[in-house]
Amino acid sequence: MCSSDLLERGQSYPPGSFPRDPRGLANNLWDPDSGLHGLFDVWAFRGIESVVSSGLGGGSLIYANVLIRKDEHWFVDEALPDGGYERWPIDRALLDPHYDAVAKMLDAQQYPFAVAPYDQTPKTNAMRDAAETLGLTWMLPELAVSFRSPGEAPSPGVPLHEAHPNLHGQPRQTCRLCGECDVGCNYGAKNTLDYTYLSRAKDCGAEIRTLSEVVALEPLDGPGGGPSGYLVSYVTHVPGEDRTPVPTSALPTTTIKARRVVLGAGTFGSTYLLLRNRSAFPLLSRALGTRFSGNGDLLAALVGAHRRAGGHSIARHLDPSIGPVITSAIRMADQVDGTGATGRGFYVEDGGNPAFLDWVADSAGALSTAARAAKFFARRLMAHLSGNPQSNISRDISQLLGDGEPSSTMIPVLAMGRDIPDGVMSLRDGQLDLNWTTRTSEAYFDRVEQTLSGIASALGGRVLNTPLWLFKRVITVHGLGGAPMATSDADGVIDADGEVFHYPGLYVVDGAAMPGPVGPNPSFTIAAFSDHVADGILSTALVKS
């Protein structure tokens, strides 16, 4: 049986609890001091903005489920423009058995593109066609999504048969292809951490405490001068229906003693916690806060897709709300691959969105929407004034709604890869600060933009960047670094087994541990590293027992 506590600052989200209505979405942000205890936590820094999660299951609740292993040659040891180095003390051979273990736990499945109805997913076909046109490598990555139960054929929206009950005690369904992965799956089709690892931990007797935010951490002096354990202090949030602000500083604190502490609060959370409590850890490496990377994230949209047919240009419907958020990827080789490629490597993945956002996209053209409305009401007014109101007005209503072309001929796309990990996190007036810009990664982002333009052109469309990109600011969902792993404390905060240098029993197992960009979606590599660390902790515990 386990003897452990898991402290999660956010709430638990069983199937059906992710909001979709305007009031629920407005409240679905994390800022306890403002009375907000929702799922999304948005950070803004100089040069970059980031979206992370707050809930039982962490980032898995809002990620796009992609499980791609870090490329073998991308575990680099290379100099950086700031004079430092990106050095990985681990490699693919060490992580491969842990990738296997994680894939099994998450029931990794490829998008079943070879069978109906999945073979008719427009955005997947479009990405494949664009890759073929441009001679690029296209792939169907494994996803932490259930398209079928074990031993059954894939089928959308049918009951999912779990080998073990989940901690929510709720039934789940297979993927309904609704494009809602990134706002929380209300059907339980995503194999998020609450359904997998955390459910198994609870089966072992682990105590899970939600709405419990750690605010302080300090070592306990041991007989030999080193720490004998750690004191962990946390507050318990109490959400209210009226969103009454309750400052975190005003909440009562609970302190528990632990022989081992494993930090998994995310790149920003774990780094912030260590920076805030640095005075209690005088031997922490000077590398704390360094090696930040946005994992090369660049979010854009491919819009206005068209194709030629019979001498005419007709709309190519991409329908981004059909399917899980991401189904396929195009890989661009890296100079370190040894294949003759130049520049830093990256992946481009098709995106998706919930259907309700299609209405937002179509309504964005305010002038055309207003013109259609004016035309509709003018026709109705003239019909009534003429004494011939016309009993069948289906055509008029169809014209009022429009043809849906703006939303159906676009898809979001997310590029990610090997940017320069030279960002530095620190405290500024008690708040987390980050100094990172796209400047040193300019060549990388130029190559990404060229590739996106090529894909858009192959689909008869164009690239639409976010307004932030006008100022060379990016949005990342894959922030990494801050407590990087290394072979010594001269270069990193933790060793290759996740343990903090000079503080035995204290571990970091999230994105903060990465000494540079992973390249593809980093969650799989972070999970594999965590599995490696867990094996080491268990081995040590068995030896001591």
Side-chain angles (χ1 to χ4, degrees):
M1 297 294 286
C2 300
S3 177
S4 59
D5 297 306
L6 184 140
L7 303 176
E8 164 57 53
R9 67 173 182 170
Q11 304 186 56
S12 176
Y13 289 92
S17 63
F18 297 102
R20 297 291 185 263
D21 61 289
R23 184 173 71 89
L25 290 173
N27 290 333
N28 201 24
L29 293 161
W30 178 263
D31 185 5
D33 289 353
S34 300
L36 294 167
H37 298 87
L39 181 61
F40 293 93
D41 190 6
V42 184
W43 298 68
F45 305 103
R46 287 169 288 178
I48 195 167
E49 302 192 13
S50 184
V51 180
V52 299
S53 175
S54 181
L56 186 63
S60 72
L61 298 175
I62 63 170
Y63 80 150
N65 326 295
V66 179
L67 304 177
I68 300 177
R69 304 182 187 215
K70 181 174 174 67
D71 297 74
E72 180 180 358
H73 298 291
W74 294 12
F75 291 86
V76 297
D77 184 343
E78 60 187 20
L80 300 177
D82 66 355
Y85 289 85
E86 179 187 343
R87 285 176 170 153
W88 288 77
I90 59 175
D91 58 20
R92 178 68 175 267
L94 181 145
L95 288 185
D96 266 336
H98 302 287
Y99 281 125
D100 293 341
V102 173
K104 182 178 180 180
M105 174 65 83
L106 299 184
D107 191 21
Q109 302 177 20
Q110 282 186 321
Y111 190 60
F113 190 52
V115 298
Y118 310 94
D119 59 342
Q120 298 303 310
T121 308
K123 64 177 182 177
T124 315
N125 279 295
M127 286 289 282
R128 180 195 59 187
D129 293 349
E132 290 180 354
T133 299
L134 299 171
L136 303 178
T137 302
W138 177 82
M139 59 186 291
L140 292 168
E142 290 190 315
L143 306 174
V145 178
S146 289
F147 300 101
R148 53 166 176 74
S149 294
E152 298 183 7
S155 182
V158 300
L160 178 62
H161 307 302
E162 296 186 273
H164 305 281
N166 62 76
L167 60 79
H168 301 296
Q170 297 289 322
R172 301 168 60 193
Q173 298 178 22
T174 58
C175 179
R176 299 170 65 100
L177 312 181
C178 63
E180 298 183 1
C181 308
D182 287 351
V183 291
C185 179
N186 272 328
Y187 308 104
K190 292 177 60 171
N191 297 319
T192 50
L193 299 187
D194 48 338
Y195 294 124
T196 53
Y197 283 98
L198 298 182
S199 287
R200 302 293 74 78
K202 186 176 181 181
D203 292 344
C204 289
E207 182 176 347
I208 297 175
R209 307 182 193 186
T210 55
L211 292 168
S212 300
E213 182 174 10
V214 175
V215 294
L217 179 65
E218 63 178 293
L220 290 168
D221 292 335
S228 61
Y230 299 89
L231 293 178
V232 181
S233 299
Y234 67 94
V235 297
T236 302
H237 296 288
V238 183
E241 285 292 328
D242 56 357
R243 274 181 53 178
T244 301
V246 179
T248 300
S249 59
L251 294 171
T253 300
T254 301
T255 300
I256 57 177
K257 180 180 178 180
R259 185 168 55 172
R260 297 183 187 86
V261 173
V262 179
L263 298 181
T267 293
F268 298 127
S270 290
T271 304
Y272 186 35
L273 186 63
L274 289 173
L275 285 169
R276 284 180 56 190
N277 293 277
R278 190 168 196 163
S279 60
F281 296 87
L283 300 180
L284 270 178
S285 169
R286 294 177 61 185
L288 179 63
T290 65
R291 292 291 161 263
F292 175 83
S293 159
N295 202 52
D297 279 9
L298 184 62
L299 177 65
L302 307 183
V303 301
H306 282 73
R307 69 172 109 212
R308 302 294 298 180
H312 300 283
S313 176
I314 62 173
R316 174 162 188 166
H317 299 297
L318 306 179
D319 297 329
S321 60
I322 299 176
V325 165
I326 290 173
T327 63
S328 68
I330 291 173
R331 181 185 185 275
M332 297 297 293
D334 191 292
Q335 60 196 17
V336 300
D337 292 333
T339 59
T342 58
R344 290 173 169 260
F346 57 93
Y347 288 77
V348 177
E349 297 171 357
D350 61 71
N353 55 258
F356 64 79
L357 290 182
D358 289 343
W359 290 97
V360 176
D362 279 341
S363 300
L367 291 178
S368 62
T369 302
R372 292 198 308 270
K375 183 177 180 180
F376 173 81
F377 288 113
R379 287 173 62 90
R380 299 312 308 140
L381 178 62
M382 289 300 296
H384 282 283
L385 290 177
S386 67
N388 182 22
Q390 189 178 355
S391 60
N392 189 329
I393 60 170
S394 298
R395 183 190 63 177
D396 289 349
I397 293 176
S398 176
Q399 291 176 347
L400 170 64
L401 293 175
D403 57 13
E405 189 170 305
S407 63
S408 68
T409 60
M410 65 82 68
I411 54 169
V413 286
L414 179 61
M416 67 200 78
R418 288 212 312 122
D419 61 350
I420 305 294
D422 56 358
V424 178
M425 285 181 271
S426 59
L427 292 184
R428 185 179 186 182
D429 299 327
Q431 299 298 312
L432 188 65
D433 189 33
L434 169 61
N435 183 12
W436 183 91
T437 72
T438 60
R439 181 180 55 82
T440 53
S441 298
E442 186 175 357
Y444 162 82
F445 283 109
D446 285 346
R447 187 182 182 214
V448 170
E449 284 195 286
Q450 291 170 7
T451 302
L452 292 180
S453 294
I455 295 172
S457 179
L459 296 177
R462 60 185 176 86
V463 177
L464 179 65
N465 287 307
T466 67
L468 290 174
W469 188 240
L470 294 174
F471 307 98
K472 294 303 179 183
R473 292 176 59 85
V474 298
I475 301 172
T476 182
V477 292
H478 297 143
L480 302 169
M485 68 177 87
T487 55
S488 74
D489 66 348
D491 297 314
V493 176
I494 64 174
D495 62 22
D497 296 320
E499 194 166 34
V500 176
F501 289 114
H502 309 299
Y503 293 97
L506 179 61
Y507 300 85
V508 179
V509 297
D510 51 39
M514 302 294 108
V518 171
N521 315 65
S523 59
F524 200 18
T525 297
I526 295 169
F529 175 69
S530 300
D531 193 75
H532 160 66
V533 174
D535 278 359
I537 293 174
L538 290 173
S539 297
T540 302
L542 288 173
V543 170
K544 290 184 177 180
S545 63

